[in-house]
Amino acid sequence: MSNIEQTLSIIKPDAVERNLDEKIKSIFVKEGFKIVKEKKIKLEKIDAEKFYKVHETKPFYYDLCEYLSSGPIVAMVLEKENAVSSNRQIMGATDPKNANEGTIRKQYGISIDKNSVHGSDSIENAKKEINFFFKD
Ligand code: UDP
Ligand code: MG
């Protein structure tokens, strides 16, 4: 039975700054994702705070929001069979040091905060996050 899902992916400022967006997009396409929607934007800090609200009690929240709003990002809706978990696998672990070989974070991540990509962690959050960037 097919289980086509959508998930939200973000190419974070550290990767956009290094012009890695086309390379990262080509990885998703090669892995069978359809890039259904895409936009390059720079968030205001207050938007980053809304996006990462689930982390508001974490010690890294302030820096995380500062960072996500520090430069342009590319937000994308990715579609594929089991898109949420598939994307998480291709991204790799949060800390690039712990990410598996071949994952995006292993290849391009600089550090736990500058880890090049975001991906929704559940179908429910994917819906919320897609709506956050692509309301219309
Ligand atoms: N993060 C951080 N320090 C930490 C944990 C997380 O700077 O100790 C940042 C990191 O950029 C991560 C984001 O906060 O991608 C969201 O954290 P989460 O645990 O949701 O990781 P993810 O789902 O991105 O793998
Ligand atoms: Mg997360």
Side-chain angles (χ1 to χ4, degrees):
M1 212 174 76
S2 91
N3 185 35
I4 300 293
E5 293 172 1
Q6 292 190 338
T7 191
L8 184 90
S9 171
I10 299 175
I11 304 176
K12 292 184 175 182
D14 67 273
V16 174
E17 188 178 70
R18 286 175 288 153
N19 289 312
L20 293 170
D21 34 330
E22 289 305 324
K23 242 177 233 166
I24 291 173
K25 276 159 56 182
S26 75
I27 293 172
F28 289 129
V29 171
K30 197 177 79 198
E31 294 286 347
F33 284 97
K34 195 165 138 192
I35 301 172
V36 178
K37 290 180 187 167
E38 175 186 346
K39 69 175 166 192
K40 190 173 192 173
I41 48 163
K42 186 176 177 300
L43 293 181
E44 297 297 331
K45 178 125 190 269
I46 191 160
D47 298 317
E49 287 168 356
K50 278 182 204 151
F51 181 76
Y52 273 132
K53 192 155 173 56
V54 289
H55 291 305
E56 71 182 332
T57 60
K58 309 272 172 64
F60 56 83
Y61 179 65
Y62 179 87
D63 288 342
L64 177 61
C65 297
E66 189 78 18
Y67 166 63
L68 192 70
S69 57
S70 68
I73 60 173
V74 178
M76 293 170 288
V77 177
L78 301 181
E79 189 176 279
K80 186 189 166 180
E81 191 105 346
N82 302 313
V84 173
S85 64
S86 177
N87 180 38
R88 296 288 305 188
Q89 271 182 20
I90 292 162
M91 287 164 59
T94 307
D95 187 343
K97 286 205 297 280
N98 303 328
N100 289 335
E101 284 304 326
T103 60
I104 294 172
R105 282 168 165 173
K106 180 72 176 188
Q107 289 183 78
Y108 302 122
I110 296 169
S111 56
I112 191 165
D113 46 328
K114 295 182 176 168
N115 58 7
S116 302
V117 280
H118 166 85
S120 310
D121 63 2
S122 66
I123 293 176
E124 191 191 345
N125 285 335
K127 284 181 184 150
K128 285 185 196 160
E129 292 178 359
I130 288 169
N131 195 46
F132 179 91
F133 282 100
F134 303 97
K135 256 193 195 70
D136 37 342

